[in-house]
């Protein structure tokens, strides 16, 4: 007998996999496990007659000679009569947890849902599914991928779901009903207790939530509560501990390989896989288990910060035969405090030569002595995956300040970690540099009293917690620039502070937001993974004194924990971790955006300027913070252009060189990110200035060589922004697609296609650009259209935006006049007779003739051949007579 089964407490992915395997092996018996999640159980009860499942009690005494396990790697405890030489096949989407039974076939797939593997095979077989079968398979995919939103979701999951929906078989209404299943009364009470008791711990740099609770009766499906809590708090690791009358139940979830919850559950007698696990603990109390869990977390959780994240790539080395004089020259030239010493023959590290040894040798006039005589001897190194603790232990134990990084033990030097790297990593707010400027009075002028008092209170609350609060970024830049340009009212009017605040907390941003909410009501939405919180105010607060505009009122305040960023490769999105204010400011794009204002009670309004932002504001320069800035994030090139245009600044000379050197890296940036930056430019007060700058810097050509910004374009933009009042497009606000359409107007069809793909434009934007091209190709036919109906057929398939772009760009007065006429008079022309009239008054049945009549009536009305309902009816009757059914 061939049996297919899955794990106990089965979810929809498990049962969908059970169905999928049966559809592939219809001769087998798909056996339900002893326990099912409540929503799964109710689904099966409702659709039992249409599903092939059997209960384990129905198997009888037949021997199981072939066993297929889906979404699990363990044989359920209640499965009996398994032959000793059973042929076993494991089909799972989790990592291999233990060595399988000898002879077992193991099929592991890297998908978000296990059901995806079966759907792919069914699709390839062109297997027809019933509506309930397709819906159950879709339930499995949606549940295990969080409706295709979890980080573990793969393109294969999306494609499988799309196939299930493509022929209309899968029912999304049923999926929605069973995935949003209400909690039972006992589950709700336990859920509320877990939320009240929730603790957030940071272990080795990872955010871990622990939820302890105690109940006096059994509560089913704690795993479903864990899913709800995970979606609410979004921690990297989650551990639910529930003390029940006769046992303690642990449910654990993880979103990172650094927290292997399966291995931790095994220590309590349970099991699972690295991302999800459970354990049933008997004979131990909640406090004891929680204490043991904390101990295991410190042992098992991998560090969030590794050598790879703080090391400097590349390393200059010395040979044992180099002289002390040469070493001193290297130190002076490069500013390094020490170098690895490498044997030129073996390539192995044989020591470290530090400034301390160099100074000692030179005091004794031994400049010509060899390095081998004074170096600290030993094969000192770490690897990229080593923890910061490993580096620190090596530095303190061997009294060295520089540690080489090898790609692997015995491998090549790929970088170096220094004592300064560790200091920068751990630097606290006490190391910030003082500033001579205090902008408290400028803040008082720029902000309304209610908002100013709220910021003072927030700063005091943060200080009482041992944290610090700052305003950072563009608001501070514009506030200081307004002060610097106070003697020039015209320039000052261009730089009034923006109506948003970036608030950075050196400490716990989420806790601060909750404290403020408790004092003033409102709501807080937080993301513990990123250390961010949005405090939604009970009533919007006025931002600028004397203005009551909605745009100058704040409905919420955003708090962000100070963080630093690491880029794994050029143009990659950054990875972040908690840090000091200095490191937080260092991750920003340009020096003029690294300014911050302290909101602490003893230093309210004090300007923090670690990186020369004030000097560059005074010099009216845009400068990057370091030489790899554009390499790490090429989109900063477009942001530079936006600032240059808005502030009328110049690009600092070295920054211009770095931008030019990195411009080819724009090709590696996704179209969405590039178009997002272009949209920000298009929404500027004077986008034409920024567009001219990105053209002059060759950024535009790097995005797409067919984009054009010239004097004609500038003239067209002027008309778009201020010359439409007497046209049929009056009142239309300039949109990003208008600028993009004008810039791409001269492109050939294949160039337009490549542009929309490169920028991954939205559906309307794609359609608009392609319609513009069609209008351009039809200019002569549009200009010489002899009748209104002919013009209508040429332009009706296009939208308002496409016609506006074409009107602005076409160099043909007759065609432009026709576009205006269509937009003003023809686009909404419809006959008086419609389908309802044809049915009710003329007794016609719906069919192809309907559309033919309506089209001919519209043409006749456009061309003035009919002017009344009577005229239209006569024409309709004539058409019917000429086309008898």
């Amino acid at each position: 007998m061939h049996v297919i089964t899955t794990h106990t407490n089965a979810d929809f992915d498990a049962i969908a996999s059970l169905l999928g395997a049966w559809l592939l092996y219809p001769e087998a018996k798909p056996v339900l496990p002893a326990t099912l999640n409540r929503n799964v159980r109710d689904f099966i009860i409702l659709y039992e007659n249409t599903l092939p499942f059997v209960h384990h009690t129905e198997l009888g005494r037949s021997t199981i000679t072939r066993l297929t396990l889906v979404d699990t790697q363990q044989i359920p405890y209640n499965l009996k009569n398994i032959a000793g030489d059973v042929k076993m096949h494991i089909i799972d989407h989790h990592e291999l947890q233990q060595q399988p039974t000898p002879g077992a076939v193991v099929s592991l797939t890297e998908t978000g849902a296990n059901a995806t593997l079966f759907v792919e095979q069914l699709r390839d077989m062109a297997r027809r599914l019933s509506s309930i079968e397709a819906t159950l398979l879709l339930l499995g995919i949606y549940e295990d991928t969080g409706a295709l939103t979890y980080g573990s979701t793969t393109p294969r999951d999306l494609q499988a779901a799309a196939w299930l929906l493509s022929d209309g078989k899968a029912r999304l209404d049923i999926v929605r009903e069973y995935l949003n299943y209400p909690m039972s009364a006992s589950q709700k009470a336990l859920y509320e207790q877990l939320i009240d008791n929730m603790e957030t711990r940071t272990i080795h740099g990872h955010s871990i939530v622990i939820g302890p609770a105690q109940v006096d009766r059994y509560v089913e499906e704690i795993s479903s509560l864990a899913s709800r809590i995970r979606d609410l708090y979004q921690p990297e690791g989650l551990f639910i501990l529930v003390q029940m009358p006769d046992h303690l139940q642990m449910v654990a979830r993880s979103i990172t390989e650094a927290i292997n919850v399966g291995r931790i559950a095994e220590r309590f007698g349970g099991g699972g896989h690295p991302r999800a696990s459970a354990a049933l603990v008997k004979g131990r109390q909640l406090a004891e288990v929680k204490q043991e869990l904390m101990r295991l977390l410190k042992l098992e959780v991998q560090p969030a910060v590794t050598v790879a994240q703080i090391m400097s790539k590349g390393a200059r080395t010395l040979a044992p035969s180099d002289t002390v004089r040469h070493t001193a020259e290297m130190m002076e030239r490069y500013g390094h405090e020490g170098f690895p010493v490498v044997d030129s023959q073996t390539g192995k590290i044989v020591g470290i030569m530090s400034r301390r040894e160099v100074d000692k040798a030179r005091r004794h006039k031994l400049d010509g002595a060899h390095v081998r005589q004074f170096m600290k001897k030993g094969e000192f190194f770490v690897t990229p995956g080593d923890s910061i603790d490993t580096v620190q232990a090596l530095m303190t134990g061997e009294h060295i300040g520089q540690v080489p990084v090898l790609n692997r033990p015995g491998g090549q030097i790929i970088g170096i970690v220094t004592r300064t790297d560790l200091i920068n990593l751990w630097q606290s707010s006490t190391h910030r540099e003082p500033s001579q400027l205090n902008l408290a009075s400028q803040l008082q002028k720029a902000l309304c009293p209610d908002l100013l008092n709220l910021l003072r209170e927030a700063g005091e609350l943060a200080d009482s917690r041992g944290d610090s609060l700052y305003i950072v970024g563009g608001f501070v830049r514009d506030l200081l620039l307004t002060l610097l340009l106070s003697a020039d009212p015209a320039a000052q009017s261009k730089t009034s502070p923006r109506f948003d605040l970036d608030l950075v907390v050196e400490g716990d941003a989420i806790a601060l937001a909750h404290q403020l909410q408790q004092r003033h009501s409102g709501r807080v939405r937080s993301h513990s993974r990123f250390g961010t919180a949005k405090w939604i105010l009970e009533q919007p607060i006025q931002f600028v004194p004397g203005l009551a505009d909605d745009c100058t009122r704040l409905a919420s305040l955003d708090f962000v924990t100070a963080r630093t960023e690491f880029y794994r490769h050029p143009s990659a999105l950054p990875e972040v971790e908690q840090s000091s204010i200095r490191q937080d400011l260092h991750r920003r794009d340009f020096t003029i955006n690294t300014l911050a204002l302290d909101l602490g009670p003893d230093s309210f309004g004090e300007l923090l300027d670690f990186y020369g932002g004030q000097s560059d504001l005074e010099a009216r320069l845009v400068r990057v913070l370091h030489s790899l800035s554009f390499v790490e994030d090429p989109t900063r090139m477009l942001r530079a252009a936006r600032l240059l245009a808005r502030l009328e600044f110049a690009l600092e000379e070295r920054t211009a060189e770095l931008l030019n050197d990195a411009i080819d890296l724009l090709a590696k940036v996704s179209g969405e990110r590039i178009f997002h930056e272009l949209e920000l430019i298009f929404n500027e007060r004077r986008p034409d200035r920024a567009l001219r700058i990105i053209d002059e810097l060759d950024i535009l050509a790097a995005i797409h060589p067919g984009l054009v910004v010239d004097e004609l374009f500038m003239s067209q933009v002027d008309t778009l922004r201020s010359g439409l009042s007497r046209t049929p497009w009056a009142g239309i606000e300039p949109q990003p697609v208008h600028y993009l359409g004008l810039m791409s107007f001269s492109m050939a069809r294949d160039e337009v296609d490549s542009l929309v793909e490169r920028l991954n434009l939205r559906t309307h934007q794609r359609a608009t650009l392609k319609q513009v091209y069609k209008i351009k190709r039809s200019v002569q036919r549009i200009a010489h259209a002899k009748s209104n109906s002919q013009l209508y057929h040429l332009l009706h398939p296009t939208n308002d935006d496409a016609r506006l772009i074409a009107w602005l760009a076409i160099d043909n007065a007759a065609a432009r006049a026709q576009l205006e006429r269509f937009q003003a008079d023809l686009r909404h022309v419809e006959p008086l007779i419609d389908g309802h009239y044809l049915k009710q008054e003329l007794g016609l049945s719906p069919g192809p003739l309907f559309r033919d009549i309506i089209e001919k009536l519209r043409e006749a009305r456009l061309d003035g051949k009919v002017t009344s309902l009577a005229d239209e009816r006569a024409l309709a009757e004539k058409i019917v007579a000429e086309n008898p059914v």
Side-chain angles (χ1 to χ4, degrees):
M1 178 172 58
H2 180 189
V3 164
I4 308 168
T5 192
T6 186
H7 59 81
T8 57
N9 298 320
D11 57 9
F12 272 116
D13 191 31
I15 300 303
S17 298
L18 194 62
L19 173 66
W22 177 80
L23 290 169
L24 296 176
Y25 309 113
E27 81 287 352
K29 292 185 180 297
V31 179
L32 293 170
T35 56
L36 306 169
N37 283 352
R38 187 162 56 95
N39 54 346
V40 177
R41 184 182 65 222
D42 291 352
F43 179 91
I44 290 175
I45 290 173
L46 183 60
Y47 298 106
E48 188 171 17
N49 292 336
T50 61
L51 295 171
F53 303 133
V54 298
H55 295 274
H56 69 279
T57 55
E58 302 171 11
L59 288 179
R61 299 180 180 276
S62 299
T63 302
I64 299 174
T65 57
R66 184 178 174 189
L67 178 61
T68 301
L69 299 177
V70 295
D71 201 33
T72 185
Q73 298 172 28
Q74 298 176 344
I75 301 174
Y77 68 88
N78 62 325
L79 208 56
K80 310 298 182 184
N81 301 327
I82 300 176
D85 59 348
V86 64
K87 294 180 180 179
M88 187 181 302
H89 188 185
I90 297 172
I91 306 173
D92 197 9
H93 68 131
H94 304 125
E95 296 177 4
L96 191 63
Q97 299 156 30
Q98 58 189 17
Q99 286 300 317
T101 302
V105 177
V106 179
S107 302
L108 303 182
T109 180
E110 294 183 359
T111 54
N114 200 59
T116 294
L117 177 63
F118 297 102
V119 173
E120 289 174 335
Q121 295 183 58
L122 294 168
R123 178 192 62 199
D124 294 343
M125 295 166 55
R127 179 71 154 78
R128 297 184 64 83
L129 303 176
S130 70
S131 177
I132 293 304
E133 289 170 343
T135 300
L136 178 52
L137 289 165
L138 188 64
L139 273 164
I141 295 174
Y142 268 39
E143 185 175 63
D144 244 34
T145 63
L148 306 174
T149 64
Y150 290 163
S152 57
T153 306
T154 69
R156 293 170 61 185
D157 298 300
L158 273 72
Q159 291 160 6
W163 181 74
L164 292 170
L165 289 165
S166 61
D167 62 356
K169 287 292 180 68
R171 295 272 303 277
L172 280 174
D173 56 333
I174 298 177
V175 171
R176 183 169 57 250
E177 176 185 353
Y178 282 93
L179 289 189
N180 297 309
Y181 220 57
M183 292 184 284
S184 65
S186 59
Q187 284 180 319
K188 187 174 181 181
L190 176 56
Y191 177 79
E192 291 173 352
Q193 186 184 163
L194 288 167
I195 294 298
D196 290 341
N197 297 345
M198 205 63 63
E199 303 173 14
T200 300
R201 304 291 183 92
T202 300
I203 298 176
H204 298 327
H206 295 286
S207 171
I208 297 176
V209 166
I210 300 172
Q214 188 163 355
V215 294
D216 56 7
R217 65 185 66 182
Y218 176 76
V219 178
E220 63 179 351
E221 293 184 40
I222 295 178
S223 60
S224 66
L225 302 184
S227 298
R228 291 175 182 265
I229 293 171
R230 177 184 60 186
D231 293 342
L232 176 65
Y233 286 91
Q234 298 184 354
E236 293 172 278
L238 170 67
F239 292 84
I240 302 299
L241 305 174
V242 180
Q243 180 77 64
M244 296 192 183
D246 60 345
H247 70 276
L248 182 144
Q249 191 166 338
M250 171 192 290
V251 176
R253 297 289 184 266
S254 169
I255 63 169
T256 171
E257 294 178 359
I259 308 172
N260 187 329
V261 296
R263 190 158 56 230
I264 293 172
E266 287 175 4
R267 304 290 286 270
F268 291 97
H273 55 85
R275 301 299 178 95
S277 67
L280 191 150
V281 185
K282 291 190 175 183
R284 302 178 71 177
Q285 295 303 305
L286 180 60
E288 178 189 355
V289 172
K290 182 182 171 186
Q291 183 178 2
E292 176 68 6
L293 174 63
M294 291 303 302
R295 187 185 71 82
L296 288 173
L297 287 173
K298 292 175 182 178
L299 292 174
E300 296 286 350
V301 173
Q302 300 300 307
V305 182
T306 63
V307 167
Q309 294 170 294
I310 68 167
M311 74 179 194
S312 299
K313 293 184 178 179
R316 293 180 172 84
T317 62
L318 297 170
S321 58
D322 285 335
T323 64
V324 171
R325 180 183 299 106
H326 172 70
T327 305
E329 290 171 353
M330 292 268 289
M331 288 178 173
E332 183 176 356
R333 179 179 303 173
Y334 298 111
H336 295 174
E337 294 297 308
F339 297 95
V341 183
V342 178
D343 187 296
S344 57
Q345 293 183 344
T346 65
K348 289 187 175 181
I349 298 167
V350 294
I352 300 290
M353 187 69 170
S354 71
R355 184 175 294 278
R356 181 174 58 251
E357 281 78 35
V358 170
D359 292 342
K360 184 189 301 181
R362 300 189 79 182
R363 280 198 301 271
H364 293 285
K365 311 297 183 184
L366 297 174
D367 291 51
H370 292 158
V371 165
R372 67 167 64 90
Q373 297 174 248
F374 294 93
M375 70 184 184
K376 173 81 173 181
K377 293 182 179 180
E379 192 178 3
F380 310 115
F381 69 89
V382 291
T383 61
D386 283 337
S387 68
I388 301 306
D389 292 341
T390 301
V391 179
Q392 185 182 15
L394 189 56
M395 287 183 174
T396 55
E398 298 294 341
H399 303 287
I400 54 178
Q402 301 80 29
V403 180
V405 183
L406 302 187
N407 60 342
R408 54 180 173 78
Q412 297 179 334
I413 297 179
I414 59 173
I416 197 161
V417 178
T418 69
R419 188 182 291 113
T420 301
D421 293 323
L422 295 185
I423 293 172
N424 288 338
L425 181 64
W426 297 322
Q427 194 166 30
S428 67
S429 61
T430 58
H431 292 97
R432 72 174 190 267
E433 296 174 5
S435 170
Q436 298 299 314
L437 268 182
N438 188 297
L439 301 184
S441 59
Q442 280 69 36
L443 272 177
Q444 189 169 356
K445 295 175 184 176
L447 303 177
C448 72
D450 289 345
L451 179 56
L452 187 66
N453 291 335
L454 192 59
L455 292 177
R456 285 187 183 275
E457 181 184 353
E460 291 168 358
L461 266 178
D463 185 69
S464 69
R465 296 173 44 83
D467 296 342
S468 299
L469 178 65
Y470 306 89
I471 306 177
V472 304
F475 175 85
V476 182
R477 176 199 67 216
D478 294 348
L479 189 69
L480 178 56
L481 191 57
T482 301
L483 176 65
L484 296 174
L485 299 177
S486 57
D488 183 356
Q492 188 178 2
S493 65
K494 300 176 184 177
T495 58
S496 54
R498 306 182 312 167
F499 297 148
D500 61 357
L501 292 176
D502 294 327
L503 298 170
V504 173
V505 181
E506 206 171 36
D508 192 336
I510 296 174
L512 178 60
H514 278 291
Q515 274 192 285
L516 287 165
Q517 180 264 336
Q518 288 168 6
R519 286 193 178 190
H520 297 278
S521 69
R523 294 179 291 117
V524 171
R525 292 207 304 259
S526 62
H527 296 278
S528 57
R529 181 181 177 187
F530 301 105
T532 62
K534 178 185 285 290
W535 175 28
I536 302 169
L537 304 174
E538 184 88 5
Q539 295 292 333
I541 190 168
Q542 190 171 327
F543 193 116
V544 180
L547 296 177
D549 240 350
D550 282 345
C551 67
T552 64
R553 298 179 72 83
L554 288 179
S556 62
L557 288 173
D558 293 305
F559 297 86
V560 180
T561 300
R563 58 190 182 179
T564 189
E565 294 179 342
F566 300 95
Y567 292 82
R568 289 196 176 273
H569 58 80
S571 77
L573 291 172
E575 300 175 15
V576 300
E577 69 174 23
Q578 187 171 345
S579 70
S580 66
I581 185 63
R582 181 169 189 156
Q583 288 175 295
D584 185 277
L585 295 172
H586 188 266
R587 72 182 176 84
R588 296 172 189 271
D589 44 17
F590 308 106
T591 58
I592 58 175
N593 288 336
T594 63
L595 300 166
L597 291 181
D598 194 334
L599 298 181
D602 299 326
S603 50
F604 188 85
E606 180 185 62
L607 179 70
L608 276 68
D609 181 14
F610 300 113
Y611 305 108
Q614 181 179 341
S615 297
D616 284 337
L617 278 178
E618 293 171 345
R620 304 181 70 80
L621 292 174
V622 172
R623 183 197 309 267
V624 290
L625 272 74
H626 55 84
S627 59
L628 293 178
S629 183
F630 294 125
V631 173
E632 292 176 344
D633 186 0
T635 62
R636 287 172 176 163
M637 301 178 196
L638 288 98
R639 275 176 258 159
R642 187 153 46 93
L643 280 175
L644 292 171
R646 183 195 300 170
L647 303 176
E648 298 182 13
F649 277 22
L651 198 61
E652 184 264 337
E653 183 177 355
R654 175 59 177 156
T655 299
E657 293 175 0
L658 294 170
L659 186 151
N660 186 64
D661 291 343
I663 203 158
D664 290 343
L665 292 175
L666 278 169
K668 297 184 178 181
V669 181
S670 69
E672 292 90 343
R673 292 183 64 202
I674 287 179
F675 189 63
H676 173 69
E677 293 295 334
L678 286 174
E679 284 184 305
L680 294 176
I681 288 176
F682 296 148
N683 290 326
E684 284 286 299
R685 187 186 305 172
R686 290 294 307 273
D688 50 326
R689 290 178 181 170
L691 292 172
R692 187 188 292 275
I693 289 170
I694 64 173
D695 183 50
E696 292 170 349
L697 293 173
D698 293 329
I699 297 171
L700 200 61
I703 295 172
H704 193 286
L707 293 171
V708 176
V709 172
D710 54 17
E711 293 304 321
L712 178 61
F713 169 82
M714 292 299 172
S715 173
Q716 293 164 351
V717 168
D718 284 343
T719 305
L720 173 66
R721 293 170 57 80
S722 58
L724 299 180
S725 59
R726 296 187 178 182
T727 74
W729 294 275
I732 288 182
E733 291 294 323
Q735 299 297 319
V737 73
H738 298 150
Y739 295 102
L740 201 58
L742 293 174
M743 292 161 65
S744 62
F745 187 77
S746 62
M747 287 184 181
R749 174 59 187 266
D750 59 337
E751 291 179 308
V752 173
D753 291 341
S754 67
L755 176 66
V756 299
E757 293 304 321
R758 174 66 186 96
L759 298 182
N760 199 14
L761 298 180
R762 303 179 190 100
T763 302
H764 173 74
Q765 295 163 339
R766 288 170 177 256
T768 298
L769 293 192
K770 293 181 179 182
Q771 290 170 17
V772 169
Y773 177 80
K774 289 181 180 178
I775 294 175
K776 181 179 71 172
R777 289 296 303 269
S778 305
V779 164
Q780 293 302 320
R781 294 166 63 194
I782 293 170
H784 297 98
K786 295 181 179 180
S787 66
N788 288 346
S789 59
Q790 185 179 356
L791 182 62
Y792 184 93
H793 284 299
L794 288 169
L795 294 178
H796 176 66
T798 64
N799 61 43
D800 291 347
D801 291 326
R803 294 190 291 272
L804 171 58
I805 294 166
W807 179 81
L808 289 165
I810 287 173
D811 186 20
N812 184 311
R816 295 180 82 234
Q818 292 278 60
L819 282 164
E820 283 191 61
R821 192 163 66 84
F822 176 85
Q823 189 71 16
D825 304 324
L826 305 182
R827 61 186 170 128
H828 294 312
V829 170
E830 295 288 344
L832 298 175
I833 289 178
D834 56 15
H836 180 73
Y837 187 96
L838 294 176
K839 288 168 59 179
Q840 298 295 323
E841 300 297 328
L842 298 184
L844 296 179
S845 300
L849 187 59
F850 261 50
R851 183 173 62 183
D852 188 39
I853 293 172
I854 297 298
E855 286 296 322
K856 288 181 179 178
L857 290 176
R858 181 188 290 109
E859 291 175 1
R861 182 164 285 279
L862 283 165
D863 295 334
K865 295 178 181 178
V866 298
T867 58
S868 65
L869 179 61
D871 291 343
E872 287 188 8
R873 178 173 182 127
L875 179 56
E877 290 173 344
K878 179 181 178 183
I879 295 170
V880 171
E882 293 173 351
N883 296 272
V885 179

